[in-house]
Amino acid sequence: MTPEEFGERQADAALDREIQMLFAVEPSPQFRAGVRVRIANEPAAAERRHLWWLGAAAMTAALTASVIFTPSRPARQNPTLTGRSIVDLILPESSTPRRLPSDGGVPADAASPFRRAPARPRHTRPAEPEILLAPDETRALRALIAGVHAGRIDLTPVSQATTPDVMELEPIHNLVIAPIAIAPVEGVFP
Amino acid sequence: MHGHVDVDRLAGTFVDEKAVREREFEIRLAESSTLAVRVAYAVLHHRQDAEDVAQEAFARAYRRFGQLRDRERFRAWLVRMTWRLAIDRRRSERRRLAREGAHLSSAAPASAGEEAEANERAARLWRAIEALPEKLRVVIVLANIQEHDLADVARLLDVPTGTVKSRLFLARQRLKELLQ
């Protein structure tokens, strides 16, 4: 061991002694009793934790159910006519006449040895008749459902509200209708 | 008779099992209290807070004691949990700790003498340890608590001994630089 290494070790040992003195705290005599008290108080806290988890699970189940049973359809995109003629939109691709470039050259895709098959539009008939709702109404309904699930909206007053009954009229028994007497107009007929 | 369960005997088994478990935990608590308190103290620099955090770590360990019956596993888990809880506590009470840090640096008596010099040296050492990266800090703390050797620290941190050795070397170098 060189003198430098020896000096280094001495310095390390001195530093370690200083740090050991710094951390030399002992637990107080009440420490273990405090742990026991905490453990004894655990059941109540554990119960509260379980209740919290139960509530969270119920909320998750409700949200999942709402997601599953809420009809969601992809937003329809209206075709825009910018840059395309109405003929392109109405007629299938094969029937539209191929336009030549303005400079009269070869079409861009003619150079390709492979012709890409035109994409066949998928027409999947929905099993049920499609219910069309305005996007605003859909958003409002979803917001309402989410609000009810989240507890922000309380529908109890609505469900408990009494709707006014149809007004029932008293049966009319003694209805007397006087005969209508029409007097002849004098001077019109001889 | 087939299918007959001796309820009393079964209940007795559970009671015995619980008693054994309680006894084991009591042993772990007795032998690891100092370790937990010192680990927390190394982070918090505050005795009462350190005890509080260590007690919380023990309470959590009790909850999971079924998986922590092995002594080494228990101690390693306890050290990690205590360290983590202490870090969380320090973050949440940074303002108060800043005040106490100021108190610590001004704790040195105004009169000249060996005590004042020792206090000043201790305050500088605290600050230097505080300035270390967490990986180096935890190694230097554990290596200087209860005279743990490299293998002990490696077991507590669940890292190879060589890693502990290199981190300890780096930590000492940094501390010496900071204290110069």
Side-chain angles (χ1 to χ4, degrees), chain A residues 89-180:
Chain A
L89 288 172
I90 295 171
L91 297 178
E93 191 180 342
S94 56
S95 62
T96 53
R98 183 177 300 274
R99 286 194 220 116
L100 291 174
S102 56
D103 58 356
V106 184
D109 58 351
S112 172
F114 303 103
R115 182 183 167 80
R116 191 181 296 166
R120 183 174 294 176
R122 281 189 205 168
H123 292 290
T124 52
R125 183 179 290 277
E128 295 174 1
E130 190 175 6
I131 301 169
L132 295 177
L133 283 177
D136 292 345
E137 290 179 8
T138 310
R139 274 198 298 276
L141 278 172
R142 285 194 180 146
L144 175 66
I145 292 166
V148 170
H149 283 306
R152 292 192 307 271
I153 300 172
D154 186 13
L155 289 181
T156 315
V158 178
S159 62
Q160 289 175 349
T162 55
T163 53
D165 297 330
V166 177
M167 188 172 66
E168 293 179 2
L169 297 173
E170 290 288 330
I172 302 169
H173 301 295
N174 302 323
L175 182 64
V176 179
I177 300 174
I180 300 171

Side-chain angles (χ1 to χ4, degrees), chain B residues 65-129:
Chain B
F65 195 56
Q67 298 144 31
L68 299 172
R69 300 284 275 264
D70 177 68
R71 180 181 181 274
E72 294 304 326
R73 197 169 178 183
F74 180 88
R75 286 168 69 83
W77 187 92
L78 184 72
V79 163
R80 285 196 293 270
M81 177 54 68
T82 308
W83 184 271
R84 187 52 47 205
L85 288 173
I87 294 279
D88 289 348
R89 169 73 66 97
R90 195 182 61 174
R91 280 182 187 149
S92 66
E93 296 182 4
R94 186 166 285 175
R95 193 177 301 167
R96 187 180 66 79
L97 283 170
R99 193 171 64 241
E100 292 196 356
H103 171 71
L104 183 69
S105 30
S106 64
S111 62
E114 284 184 7
E115 196 180 344
E117 195 178 333
N119 282 337
E120 177 58 30
R121 173 83 180 168
R124 284 181 62 209
L125 189 53
W126 270 124
R127 285 196 294 270
I129 292 171

